[in-house]
Amino acid sequence: MSTDPAETGSGPAPTAEGAPLASAAAPAAAAAAEAPGRVAVIVPAAGKGERLGPGTPKALRELGGLPLLVHAVRTLVAARSVDVVVVAAPPNPQGLAEVQRLLADLPGDTRVVAGGQSRQESVALALAALPGDCDVVLVHDAARALTPVDVIEAVVAAVRGGAGAVIPVLPVADTVKAVDGDLVTATVDRSTLRAVQTPQGFTRDILTKAHAASNPSLPATDDAGLVEALGLPVRTVPGHAEAFKITTPFDLVLAEAVLRRRR
């Protein structure tokens, strides 16, 4: 049985200067205290995706024989920095069961929760279900099924580097006009414009605060918009052309072409 030095009057041997030697466990304890938490990715996949035409929810539409959601989650779990993926599925029993079936055989820690009636609600529900040790949270659209792993890693690295909110972006190639009805009112300077992609990355506390302060009746089009509403800065990293959002039937055709080229 060990003896407490405080009870015997003994303790660590003094140094030449009289200060006690540091315990061998102290550096390990300090390192553990400073070690970063895990990275989680939320995938809201409860939407209908009506612009893609009638049928199954958009995240479950097939691309190259597999649902968009499966393509997206496969890439996320392949990213070395990602520890947990939480998918917000359609809230009906059939939708939940189908998403669970599709993701059952994928590697990594992949979880499924019931989503909400809006994208914003789905993200909030998944955020509440995250493991407590995740301190970096990404939000990724299943419809951006072909996003390269490098984009995911760049977003995580930027958050780990000190940014509270990070989005991948691309320069706008087209000329952009402001219009009123069918009348052009101005030509917008596109040099300051960026097209925004996902995954968007955040520290967990900032994303939680942004959703807690949001108004569900005035939904933002992305989570970075909720952070902007708090008056907090949002940083950018380069996006990728293949991270485009599959929204229309033409986008599916383009995605099939990208997939064939990759294969």
Side-chain angles (χ1 to χ4, degrees):
M1 182 175 68
S2 63
T3 303
D4 187 343
E7 295 177 354
T8 64
S10 63
T15 63
E17 291 79 17
L21 289 171
S23 166
E34 296 176 0
R38 298 196 297 164
V39 175
V41 186
I42 291 170
V43 183
K48 295 179 180 178
E50 294 174 347
R51 284 178 289 178
L52 202 52
T56 58
K58 178 166 65 173
L60 304 183
R61 300 294 179 93
E62 288 196 351
L63 167 65
L66 290 173
L68 299 178
L69 177 62
V70 173
H71 286 285
V73 174
R74 273 185 169 180
T75 304
L76 291 170
V77 298
R80 298 181 67 179
S81 64
V82 172
D83 299 296
V84 184
V85 177
V86 179
V87 177
N92 58 77
Q94 296 82 4
L96 271 170
E98 178 64 6
V99 170
Q100 289 169 339
R101 183 189 68 80
L102 289 170
L103 303 182
D105 294 331
L106 293 185
D109 187 351
T110 303
R111 311 179 185 194
V112 180
V113 299
Q117 298 303 310
S118 67
R119 181 187 186 280
Q120 192 166 319
E121 185 181 358
S122 290
V123 173
L125 290 168
L127 182 59
L130 293 183
D133 61 349
C134 295
D135 65 354
V136 173
V137 183
L138 276 57
V139 183
H140 186 47
D141 294 331
R144 297 186 187 274
L146 301 179
T147 299
V149 170
D150 288 351
V151 176
I152 300 165
E153 299 290 9
V155 171
V156 173
V159 179
R160 288 287 190 221
V166 180
I167 57 175
V169 300
L170 288 179
V172 175
D174 295 328
T175 297
V176 179
K177 303 285 186 181
V179 300
D180 182 3
D182 64 353
L183 181 66
V184 172
T185 60
T187 299
V188 181
D189 179 9
R190 69 184 181 193
S191 67
T192 63
L193 300 179
R194 296 295 183 270
V196 180
Q197 300 179 327
T198 69
Q200 299 183 353
F202 310 89
T203 60
R204 182 174 185 157
D205 61 331
I206 284 180
L207 185 59
T208 300
K209 290 175 183 176
H211 274 271
S214 67
N215 184 348
S217 64
L218 299 172
T221 56
D222 68 352
D223 296 274
L226 300 179
V227 174
E228 292 169 46
L230 294 179
L232 298 176
V234 177
R235 305 295 181 188
T236 66
V237 295
H240 195 284
E242 293 181 2
F244 65 93
K245 190 173 185 180
I246 299 171
T247 304
T248 67
F250 176 76
D251 296 331
L252 265 178
V253 173
L254 180 58
E256 291 280 2
V258 172
L259 200 58
R260 285 195 299 272
R261 181 183 59 80
R262 287 184 178 183
R263 288 173 174 171

